[in-house]
Amino acid sequence: VQLQASGGGLVQAGGSLRLSCDASGRIFSIDVMGWYRQGPGLQRELVARIISDGRTNYADSAKGRFTISRDNTKNAVYLQMNSLKPEDTGVYYCNADLSLNNDNRRFRYWGQGTQVTVSS
């Protein structure tokens, strides 16, 4: 199983970016998909996550500016980021809690990360 994240880049404050993450491999089902951020010198933190039924959770810093969505037919998750701020700068990682077979075991996989830099 592999998660491939893309869409990062350099943007001015107030701008927008859309991150994408595609999961591939022998996947039976995906329960939760999410985005995490690791800022310079900081720990990795949750930005947003989305459950298979569409329910979402956001970090307080992301509410009202970011929107997470997923395409279950493509095993993909997206993060639309608007009104970006310099403090949003960091490496963004996607992850997925998924099953490889028709059993109750879940495994967490991580993407390689994509850099987002917001200039002031």
Side-chain angles (χ1 to χ4, degrees):
V1 175
Q2 288 188 328
L3 272 66
Q4 182 70 40
S6 61
L10 173 63
V11 64
Q12 289 188 331
S16 298
L17 283 174
R18 185 174 187 257
L19 306 183
S20 299
C21 177
D22 297 303
S24 61
R26 201 189 80 173
I27 299 169
F28 180 76
S29 65
I30 302 179
D31 184 16
V32 183
M33 303 188 81
W35 289 96
Y36 287 69
R37 173 178 64 220
Q38 187 164 15
L42 300 175
Q43 290 187 333
R44 194 175 299 185
E45 60 181 3
L46 175 69
V47 176
R49 66 176 196 151
I50 183 167
I51 303 172
S52 57
D53 61 5
R55 287 179 291 161
T56 58
N57 297 107
Y58 292 92
D60 287 342
S61 60
K63 290 178 182 177
R65 299 187 300 126
F66 295 0
T67 302
I68 189 169
S69 61
R70 64 190 280 176
D71 185 335
N72 292 329
T73 65
K74 297 180 180 180
N75 289 335
V77 63
Y78 310 99
L79 186 68
Q80 178 66 44
M81 304 187 293
N82 298 327
S83 302
L84 282 161
K85 304 175 182 179
E87 50 264 43
D88 295 319
T89 293
V91 179
Y92 283 69
Y93 298 90
C94 60
N95 76 351
D97 293 340
L98 56 85
S99 297
L100 303 178
N101 297 294
N102 185 17
D103 57 24
N104 291 323
R105 293 194 298 170
R106 298 285 187 272
F107 300 93
R108 175 163 290 185
Y109 287 84
W110 292 88
Q112 85 286 5
T114 184
Q115 176 70 45
V116 171
T117 303
V118 184
S119 62
S120 57

